[in-house]
Amino acid sequence: MAPFACACQLGTSDIHIGFHVSSTASSVDAASGVADDAHEASPVGDCTLLGPQGPVGYAVGDVGRLDGVHILTAKHSGKCAEARGCDSDQAEAEQSTCDVSRCQMWQSLEVADGWFAINNTKTGGCLDVGNGSMIDGGTIQAWACHARANQQWRAVCAGDDSWRIINRNSTLLLRVVGSNDGDIAQQWSDVGSDSERWTITSQPDAYAPLLATAEESGQMWSRTLQAPAAGWQDPAFDDGAWVQSLAPFGTRHEYPWAPRTDWSTTDIWLRRELTLAAVPASLDVRIFHNGPAEVYVNGNIAYEGASSVGYRVAPANEAATASLVVGTNTVAVHCRQNADQSYGPFIDVGLGRFVWR
């Protein structure tokens, strides 16, 4: 699939996200998936990925850099990888007819040199080899994110603009056998089949942040652990007695999603300001919440959900989007621990625009 450049439109201004893109690519042993830093990426090559500065070419055996959001298309079937059902962060990965939906979009985060955690933008679940399996046929799923080795992947150029996607833990390849909707993904030894080759269509700036999450650096919020008075989510509410602390909040220490402020009580309430130079045409909530959460913008509910256990990107409700103004806006959040206390509580929230072009 041919690469293409894109920009997100905010009001009357274009937004370009400054992700880093490497000018070099590492070669990789076909069996182990281990890089030896032997090759440079050329502008034109056997495979191409779109980076923040434009198309980057790779030779066969090179490790590709994954920037931003991606659609993974099986070479043999022409169908796209998605999270089954797309309503849970713990679901099998399958192929389905490509429809450019958020369920078929995956966002990457480099967690080690050339190794990426890849999570579903709709559910938040990370691409995962079930139970850390080391054998052919191990189930691939979109699962609660922890970024250990069975959730780390690298893309290796296989030629003809297709990629082998290798799991770090097992060194086996992502594949789909069959050509029907609903055929599940597995891991398998490299047998040279097109069922183990993928086209990767990337857009580094598909998500444009307006209010940053704490994924790259801590973000300051006002917080309280005591139930506030009614109207706590409204712009006029006085939160002067609340404590200033850095997000993320919680006890769920899973690298690279470790909290910067401890939160172990039943509930937490947060407030923060968003300053806009122009009102965006649309609004999305980017959130990682291990426990039920509600997000408000200017007193209007923007998002509510039971849990994500990974960063998902969800369209904000219309009333919240319509309430945005040039200047100061108020963002307020309430999160509760999961009843089963799985993993421990965690909350981080940002706002932005998700536009696939």
Side-chain angles (χ1 to χ4, degrees):
M1 189 174 293
F4 52 97
C6 64
C8 294
Q9 190 77 21
L10 172 60
T12 58
S13 302
D14 289 333
I15 293 179
H16 298 274
I17 307 306
F19 291 84
H20 168 74
V21 62
S22 174
S23 61
T24 62
S26 302
S27 67
V28 65
D29 179 83
S32 67
V34 178
D36 63 15
D37 296 324
H39 299 289
E40 284 194 1
S42 58
V44 178
D46 300 293
C47 303
T48 305
L49 289 174
L50 187 63
Q53 309 307 319
V56 180
Y58 298 87
V60 171
D62 285 347
V63 174
R65 178 168 184 84
L66 301 175
D67 286 287
V69 179
H70 321 278
I71 292 177
L72 310 177
T73 307
K75 184 178 180 182
H76 77 292
S77 67
K79 296 183 183 294
C80 291
E82 67 177 27
R84 174 168 286 179
C86 214
D87 59 0
S88 168
D89 61 301
Q90 302 187 76
E92 291 180 322
E94 64 180 14
Q95 69 175 3
S96 187
T97 300
C98 299
D99 58 12
V100 200
S101 67
R102 296 189 187 207
C103 191
Q104 294 181 352
M105 295 180 185
W106 304 81
Q107 190 154 20
S108 60
L109 173 68
E110 189 170 25
V111 294
D113 186 23
W115 295 101
F116 294 83
I118 302 174
N119 76 294
N120 189 271
T121 60
K122 178 71 179 293
T123 70
C126 281
L127 202 63
D128 169 289
V129 178
N131 298 315
S133 172
M134 303 287 287
I135 64 173
D136 287 350
T139 299
I140 307 299
Q141 52 198 11
W143 203 253
C145 293
H146 52 66
R148 293 189 284 271
N150 67 314
Q151 287 188 355
Q152 294 183 29
W153 304 85
R154 73 176 1 155
V156 179
C157 176
D160 194 25
D161 210 22
S162 68
W163 299 83
R164 295 181 299 138
I165 301 177
I166 300 172
N167 183 259
R168 186 174 190 177
N169 186 57
S170 66
T171 72
L172 301 178
L173 276 60
L174 177 69
R175 78 159 187 177
V176 174
V177 176
S179 57
N180 298 316
D181 286 359
D183 288 340
I184 63 170
Q186 300 173 312
Q187 66 175 4
W188 207 265
S189 303
D190 189 354
V191 295
S193 169
D194 280 354
S195 66
E196 300 172 333
R197 305 292 184 263
W198 300 83
T199 298
I200 302 176
T201 306
S202 301
Q203 289 192 13
D205 57 355
Y207 177 76
L210 298 169
L211 184 74
T213 62
E215 293 169 83
E216 294 186 7
S217 62
Q219 300 294 319
M220 190 67 72
W221 290 78
S222 297
R223 69 169 174 92
T224 183
L225 304 179
Q226 304 296 321
W232 65 272
Q233 68 271 44
D234 296 333
F237 183 82
D238 181 5
D239 60 10
W242 293 22
V243 177
Q244 297 286 302
S245 302
L246 290 175
F249 302 90
T251 62
R252 187 183 187 277
H253 288 273
E254 295 281 0
Y255 174 84
W257 303 288
R260 289 179 169 85
T261 299
D262 183 75
W263 162 47
S264 57
T265 59
T266 303
D267 295 79
I268 190 169
W269 291 263
L270 308 168
R271 284 172 58 93
R272 186 180 176 191
E273 290 186 347
L274 164 65
T275 302
L276 293 175
V279 175
S282 61
L283 183 68
D284 289 272
V285 177
R286 181 165 175 81
I287 184 169
F288 186 161
H289 60 112
N290 193 22
E294 304 101 41
V295 179
Y296 298 85
V297 174
N298 295 330
N300 300 281
I301 189 71
Y303 168 92
E304 54 186 335
S307 183
S308 67
V309 200
Y311 284 94
R312 68 160 50 123
V313 181
N317 290 340
E318 291 183 6
T321 303
S323 75
L324 292 172
V325 297
V326 173
T328 302
N329 299 265
T330 300
V331 182
V333 181
H334 175 216
C335 188
R336 300 174 293 284
Q337 282 203 46
N338 271 337
D340 62 3
Q341 298 185 336
S342 57
Y343 286 102
F346 189 94
I347 180 68
D348 185 27
V349 179
L351 297 175
R353 289 194 66 205
F354 189 97
V355 181
W356 183 269
R357 298 191 184 279

